[in-house]
Amino acid sequence: MSTYTEVRFAEAEDFDRLEEIETAADALLVDLFSAENWPPTTPANERAAYPGFTLLLRRHDAGIIGFVQVLEIEGIAHMEQLSVHPGYGRRGYGRMLVAAAKSEALSRGREALTLRTYRDVPWNAPFYASCGFAPSIPTSEFHRHLVEVETRLRLEQWGPRVQMTAMLR
């Protein structure tokens, strides 16, 4: 039996579920790093107000199981968050969401899509490399600001961070 899935734009009533999915996905990193002071999940109302777009993945038999959020700031498309509920991991859903985000960013006239992630976590930088992203240098004011935010949150205490970019054209 095939499983019907759809990718669609998130609507206001979806963001509470997206917060739950992000929290569940973050638990994988918390466990991996034995992190006692992991930064909290972005509240649903804040995520809903970010500029850009949020796509979600829904399975007909399970509801919303993942999402990708792309910020559009200063002409830059930046993948802020990709989360798939761990109960549905390693089935191609993350790759499906990345492809949808790249396609939507391209349709909006963007030439590249950036992200920041952990360099050495298998489902982070190595996964994104397999989706066409390559390490890049944060040269814009926006990207340097992201590095500053990560520094304030002390994200490097759990491993090296890297910026990655996928060219869309």
Side-chain angles (χ1 to χ4, degrees), residues 44-102:
N45 61 331
E46 285 183 32
R47 186 168 298 289
Y50 287 167
F53 60 90
T54 303
L55 299 171
L56 58 80
L57 178 66
R58 189 183 76 75
R59 277 179 45 145
H60 81 284
D61 62 342
I64 301 169
I65 61 167
F67 74 97
V68 60
Q69 182 164 42
V70 175
L71 301 179
E72 292 179 302
I73 297 175
E74 300 172 9
I76 295 168
H78 179 80
M79 190 163 41
E80 173 64 18
Q81 185 67 37
L82 171 68
S83 292
V84 173
H85 191 282
Y88 296 92
R90 304 190 55 80
R91 299 183 197 179
Y93 295 128
R95 191 171 303 280
M96 188 183 301
L97 284 164
V98 169
K102 290 167 77 174

Side-chain angles (χ1 to χ4, degrees), residues 26-27 29-40 154 157-158:
D26 279 358
L29 290 171
V30 170
D31 290 346
L32 176 69
F33 298 135
S34 299
E36 295 180 14
N37 58 343
W38 191 257
R154 300 186 56 238
Q157 68 183 301
W158 297 297

Side-chain angles (χ1 to χ4, degrees), residues 98-117:
V98 169
K102 290 167 77 174
S103 178
E104 180 61 24
L106 180 61
S107 76
R108 291 171 178 235
R110 306 298 182 216
E111 295 184 3
L113 180 63
T114 62
L115 61 87
R116 292 199 51 83
T117 194

